[in-house]
Amino acid sequence: MAFSRDPLDELVVPDGTQAKEVDLVTDGDVLVGARSAIGFGVRGRNVLAGESVEFGGAIEAEGDCRLDMWCDVAENVLVGQDAYIGERVHVAGEMKVAGDLDIGDDVEIDEGFEANGWIVIRNPMPTIVFLFVYLKHLLLIGEDDTAQQLVDELVDEDEAADVEPLVIPRNATVNDDAWRVSTPATIGQDCRLHGNVRAETIDVGSDTTIFGSLRARGDVTVGDGTRIHGDLTTRDGNVTIDGDARILGDVSCADLEVGPDAEIDGTIRADGEITMGTSERDPE
């Protein structure tokens, strides 16, 4: 994983992410920016959340879990390795940690906690803040190799090399009703999500199903085989619908490019050009 820019400036939903009942499930890490409201629980490898993040369900981390100050978790926190909990965090359920637990002042865990390793009660510096401030400082002074070495030590490259993290930017709202961010959004292939997606731009991969609409200020791209169970609207951008993707609602945009086998069930409103693809047939 290379940090050449702020990793929290885009909503990134990696390939294979599933919204299962009350949880968001992904194979990789989960990174959540400060002051975000997540209506789901989350399940992933390592779970890292910034200051004042709210989780509407449980957290299950195969690796480490790091929650900065003022976070609120509506259910249990289960951690396969170590946990770092900032001051004034509230957990409505119980916390079980297989490794060490580093816990700050005034933390409330309603149903108690247990750890198989060391338990240290103190006021640790917010880990997300420390990590990104330190990395940004290294990059500003030109120590790219040192920054990459730090990242390599924090992330198991053998396991994570082919698994992109789920990234939710600062001040985001994610729930069954809407995925609302003020940044670009990239959604991978073979995902299954519930809720309307609202972002600066939207890029959806192939064979993904979204039970909701897409709305962006800029361009929107929908990959081959993807199904959008709602409208697709952009204020100023263009729309590209690849292959045999299907939009079950209306499409409104500037220019529209439609794949050879794509379907739009609703009304098309395009201020600019509409380009229709043609199927390639084998010569007889």
Side-chain angles (χ1 to χ4, degrees):
M1 179 187 299
F3 279 85
S4 58
R5 60 179 176 81
D6 186 347
L8 294 176
D9 64 358
E10 182 179 5
L11 171 65
V12 179
V13 181
D15 297 346
T17 299
Q18 303 283 324
K20 295 185 177 180
E21 297 181 354
V22 296
D23 291 327
L24 280 177
V25 182
T26 185
D27 293 332
D29 297 339
V30 179
L31 308 179
V32 184
R35 297 173 297 280
S36 292
I38 313 301
F40 305 96
V42 296
R43 290 160 53 188
R45 184 185 295 119
N46 300 304
V47 178
L48 297 87
E51 180 179 335
S52 301
V53 173
E54 298 180 4
F55 292 92
I59 293 176
E60 295 185 27
E62 296 178 8
D64 294 344
C65 178
R66 298 170 181 260
L67 303 179
D68 280 346
M69 61 180 66
W70 297 103
C71 286
D72 190 284
V73 184
E75 297 182 19
N76 300 329
V77 176
L78 307 177
V79 184
Q81 296 182 15
D82 301 330
Y84 306 84
I85 310 300
E87 65 177 339
R88 295 181 175 86
V89 167
H90 174 242
V91 178
E94 62 179 347
M95 178 178 291
K96 292 186 177 181
V97 181
D100 300 335
L101 173 60
D102 194 334
I103 190 169
D105 296 333
D106 299 323
V107 172
E108 296 183 11
I109 304 174
D110 292 355
E111 299 183 16
F113 65 90
E114 61 181 72
N116 291 335
W118 292 94
I119 299 177
V120 179
I121 300 178
R122 56 179 177 174
N123 186 15
M125 179 180 182
T127 53
I128 293 290
V129 174
F130 173 79
L131 174 61
F132 291 118
V133 167
Y134 184 41
L135 284 173
K136 182 177 290 186
H137 173 71
L138 290 174
L139 294 172
L140 286 174
I141 64 176
E143 294 289 341
D144 293 1
D145 293 340
T146 304
Q148 188 61 54
Q149 182 179 357
L150 173 62
V151 173
D152 292 343
E153 291 176 355
L154 292 172
V155 179
D156 188 342
E157 291 294 334
D158 291 337
E159 293 185 0
D162 298 325
V163 182
E164 191 174 21
L166 169 62
V167 180
I168 298 174
R170 302 174 185 87
N171 302 305
T173 299
V174 175
N175 52 45
D176 267 336
D177 179 63
W179 294 56
R180 186 175 291 109
V181 299
S182 57
T183 66
T186 300
I187 300 173
Q189 62 185 16
D190 295 316
C191 296
R192 185 179 178 88
L193 306 178
H194 297 265
N196 304 308
V197 180
R198 306 287 184 261
E200 185 69 26
T201 61
I202 303 174
D203 186 352
V204 184
S206 60
D207 299 315
T208 284
T209 300
I210 298 178
F211 294 95
S213 61
L214 305 181
R215 180 179 297 173
R217 294 182 180 179
D219 296 345
V220 178
T221 300
V222 178
D224 185 22
T226 287
R227 299 291 182 268
I228 307 299
H229 291 253
D231 297 334
L232 194 164
T233 305
T234 172
R235 181 183 301 176
D236 304 311
N238 303 323
V239 168
T240 301
I241 303 173
D242 292 332
D244 64 346
R246 182 179 179 184
I247 312 299
L248 276 71
D250 299 336
V251 173
S252 178
C253 60
D255 294 342
L256 173 62
E257 182 177 346
V258 182
D261 299 311
E263 297 181 26
I264 300 174
D265 290 8
T267 302
I268 297 175
R269 300 181 181 89
D271 295 333
E273 297 180 350
I274 299 177
T275 303
M276 309 294 290
T278 57
S279 299
E280 295 183 1
R281 299 178 182 273
D282 295 331
E284 296 180 359

